[in-house]
Amino acid sequence: MQSPLPVRNGVNATRLRLPSEGPWGTALDYILDRWDHVDPEGIATRFDRGEVVALNGERLTRTTPLTEHTFVWYYRELPVEERLPVEVGILHQDENLLVVDKPHFLPTTPGGRYVAESALVRLRVQLDLPDLIPMHRLDRLTAGILLFSTNPATRGNYQLLFENRLISKEYEAAAPVDPSLDLMAQPRVVRSRIVKSRTYLLAQEVDGEPNTETLVHLVEERNGRGRYRLAPHTGKTHQLRLHMAGLGLGILNDPFYPVLLPQAPDDYDKPLQLLAKSIAFTDPLSGVHRRFDSRLSLQDFG
């Protein structure tokens, strides 16, 4: 469903579904009741400024009946965010794609306390590309290659590559070395069933048919620490971190796996040692094989 409001300051308007019935006479009454902790006059003023609209672009007023529209869009009042001390590196840009190096600690998209401080919003504003959309996501703590679509007309062509698993990704991770596993001479394919609840921070490996697969290969060792090449065949949340922890090789500086550490401020000197190193695919428009490599490196293997 296309928003009738344009992107503003790099952020999409928010969609809200109105109830079909209830004790509220107007859309404004319902919104005031739903967000009773927010300044009522401030919300009403958004209606006066034309910042609350229906699907057809019609402006809602303070007296618009509740049942006149099903969906409405509005701009959120965004909090002031302190800029994170990390920068996005631009690797490639053309009429269809933008390829960047996302740094550790910067989320891919807005969420929670990070809105303006996300790769998507930063790049929309920096490059004046309001139609920019990520083709996939990286965890906030993970760095590396991230692809964006710059052209809505061709976006679907690239989305199909991800949906049909026609994208080849490689990651690098730094973790302890277990000589008994011999992952340098004998890379291992790890398969397991991973589930992730929306209400729980961690993903979990459970019994059942595997829905994830990762090739784990130890590439080099330095002072008891190894640089691993990880090639995921699937893309579940926290898959690589769980698979490494399951081997007894928890990725360095991982605050979640194998043990959830107490919440603490970000330590920019100790980023999670997981890097999306490369991505490759056959371009659906040109038929040309394309590969993009990160310019970033792991701390102990720079």
Side-chain angles (χ1 to χ4, degrees):
M1 194 177 297
Q2 184 67 36
S3 171
L5 290 174
V7 171
R8 185 172 77 173
N9 297 327
V11 181
N12 295 88
T14 297
R15 186 181 72 182
L16 173 67
R17 185 186 183 112
L18 299 177
S20 58
E21 58 183 18
W24 313 279
T26 67
L28 175 59
D29 291 337
Y30 169 72
I31 292 174
L32 290 176
D33 187 38
R34 177 165 174 169
W35 287 291
D36 59 356
H37 62 287
V38 180
D39 173 40
E41 189 56 33
I43 292 177
T45 300
R46 296 193 204 177
F47 282 75
D48 299 338
R49 294 198 303 252
E51 294 182 354
V52 183
V53 304
L55 177 60
N56 61 3
E58 178 184 343
R59 293 183 174 187
L60 277 69
T61 70
R62 297 190 186 209
T63 60
T64 300
L66 173 71
T67 57
E68 188 165 319
H69 302 286
T70 302
F71 291 99
V72 297
W73 282 259
Y74 64 94
Y75 292 117
R76 288 175 290 171
E77 294 293 336
L78 301 178
V80 176
E81 296 177 58
E82 182 177 351
R83 186 175 177 86
L84 298 177
V86 294
E87 300 299 331
V88 180
I90 296 176
L91 303 177
H92 171 84
Q93 183 177 354
D94 60 35
E95 66 274 17
N96 297 306
L97 292 176
L98 174 70
V99 186
V100 306
D101 258 336
K102 187 192 80 66
H104 298 285
F105 303 108
L106 188 71
T108 298
T109 57
R113 59 194 178 102
Y114 302 102
V115 179
E117 282 305 283
S118 63
L120 175 61
V121 174
R122 274 198 189 183
L123 290 166
R124 278 178 171 177
V125 173
Q126 176 185 339
L127 302 176
D128 192 22
L129 292 173
D131 290 326
L132 196 68
I133 292 293
M135 292 285 90
H136 59 117
R137 284 170 172 75
L138 295 176
D139 290 342
R140 188 177 77 87
L141 299 183
T142 303
I145 291 286
L146 191 58
L147 264 63
F148 292 83
S149 163
T150 60
N151 186 350
T154 61
R155 183 166 297 151
N157 300 84
Y158 294 95
Q159 287 174 329
L160 285 175
L161 294 179
F162 288 90
E163 293 174 12
N164 296 327
R165 296 182 181 175
L166 298 176
I167 297 282
S168 176
K169 300 178 185 176
E170 288 189 3
Y171 289 72
E172 287 189 349
V177 173
D178 182 347
S180 67
L181 296 177
D182 197 18
L183 294 174
M184 185 173 290
Q186 298 179 332
R188 178 175 298 190
V189 175
V190 181
R191 298 183 181 93
S192 70
R193 184 166 192 83
I194 292 178
V195 296
K196 174 71 168 66
S197 167
R198 292 184 178 181
T199 59
Y200 187 54
L201 184 64
L202 303 182
Q204 296 175 291
E205 290 183 293
V206 299
D207 293 335
E209 184 70 20
N211 60 358
T212 61
E213 180 180 310
T214 306
L215 175 67
V216 181
H217 178 204
L218 175 60
V219 178
E220 65 172 305
E221 179 182 353
R222 296 182 189 176
N223 301 317
R225 294 182 173 183
R227 177 169 66 90
Y228 293 85
R229 181 175 68 88
L230 309 179
H233 182 63
T234 52
K236 291 290 185 180
T237 300
H238 296 176
Q239 172 181 326
L240 302 180
R241 297 160 70 176
L242 267 172
H243 281 173
M244 289 294 286
L247 292 171
L249 307 172
I251 296 174
L252 297 180
N253 303 332
D254 191 339
F256 288 1
Y257 309 101
V259 177
L260 178 62
L261 301 180
Q263 186 174 8
D266 290 332
D267 185 343
Y268 296 102
D269 293 326
K270 294 182 178 180
L272 173 71
Q273 290 302 281
L274 180 60
L275 173 64
K277 190 62 177 178
S278 70
I279 192 165
F281 55 92
T282 298
D283 193 289
L285 302 181
S286 67
V288 173
H289 180 74
R290 309 182 77 174
R291 177 185 171 108
F292 299 100
D293 293 279
S294 173
R295 296 172 185 165
L296 303 175
S297 59
L298 302 171
Q299 278 183 328
D300 291 341
F301 298 92

